[in-house]
Amino acid sequence: MAEPRAVDNVQGNTDPSLVLLTVEETARRLRIGRTTCFRLVRAGEIESVTVGRLRRVPADAVPAYVAKLRHRPAEAA
């Protein structure tokens, strides 16, 4: 039987030792869709790095993105 991996679950538990997150893990932490998260990464809204051919999001980029959203002026609906 395979050993369980540290994965975000419904209660929001995350492995705090992770330094780099996949885009999917980032989307789960932000509670947004993975397509939306890929779009934000591609646009540079969420910081990301390349490791070989892989795209990863630094764990500290998630709270930085949320802080940026909180300080952005509200858009007209």
Side-chain angles (χ1 to χ4, degrees):
M1 183 176 277
E3 190 171 313
R5 295 179 0 154
V7 180
D8 297 0
N9 66 20
V10 176
Q11 289 81 28
N13 296 334
T14 57
D15 183 351
S17 66
L18 293 176
V19 176
L20 294 174
L21 307 171
T22 65
V23 175
E24 290 85 354
E25 290 168 333
T26 303
R28 278 196 299 274
R29 286 189 181 196
L30 291 170
R31 303 292 194 259
I32 62 175
R34 97 185 246 291
T35 303
T36 300
C37 194
F38 271 106
R39 190 169 12 94
L40 291 169
V41 166
R42 197 174 314 114
E45 291 287 320
I46 297 176
E47 178 189 359
S48 66
V49 296
T50 304
V51 180
R53 296 182 67 193
L54 304 172
R55 176 65 52 186
R56 294 294 183 252
V57 176
D60 61 349
V62 177
Y65 173 69
V66 173
K68 186 167 48 170
L69 288 177
R70 293 181 77 183
H71 293 90
R72 182 183 298 173
E75 296 177 12

